[in-house]
Amino acid sequence: MYKIKTDKGYNERFASLSFVNGEAKTDDPWLAAWCEGRGFQVEQIAESESMKKPSGKRGRKDDEGKSAGEGESTASGGGGADA
């Protein structure tokens, strides 16, 4: 994983990277080298630093392994508009 920095606080998409406050991340070594050749600061970072666990309930599964809302029927019986 590579962290790419600019000396300006870009908050835009450039060269297929999404910069937030002048920083972007990529797994692509070619893209990192391309950016470095154009004056961006490129730093290789450890995988564990870039893999932050999400907080909150988003993506959690219940005890049966289903995602929230998966396998539930609607109040009308789940027939939809065609029923």
Side-chain angles (χ1 to χ4, degrees):
M1 177 69 66
Y2 300 90
K3 185 187 295 186
I4 300 168
K5 297 181 185 179
T6 68
D7 56 352
K8 298 177 171 94
Y10 289 141
N11 287 309
E12 58 188 66
R13 196 154 165 81
F14 175 75
S16 76
L17 296 167
S18 294
F19 283 88
V20 177
N21 296 325
E23 290 188 9
K25 293 181 183 174
T26 183
D27 287 323
D28 187 344
W30 183 91
L31 185 56
W34 184 88
C35 289
E36 189 172 33
R38 280 150 184 79
F40 293 87
Q41 298 169 355
V42 177
E43 174 186 345
Q44 192 165 7
I45 57 175
E47 199 65 33
S48 61
E49 183 180 331
S50 65
M51 300 293 292
K52 295 179 181 175
K53 292 185 179 182
S55 61
K57 294 183 179 181
R58 184 184 300 168
R60 277 184 54 190
K61 294 187 176 187
D62 64 13
D63 293 337
E64 295 177 13
K66 297 180 199 167
S67 295
E70 185 179 320
E72 295 178 6
S73 61
T74 61
S76 65
D82 295 330

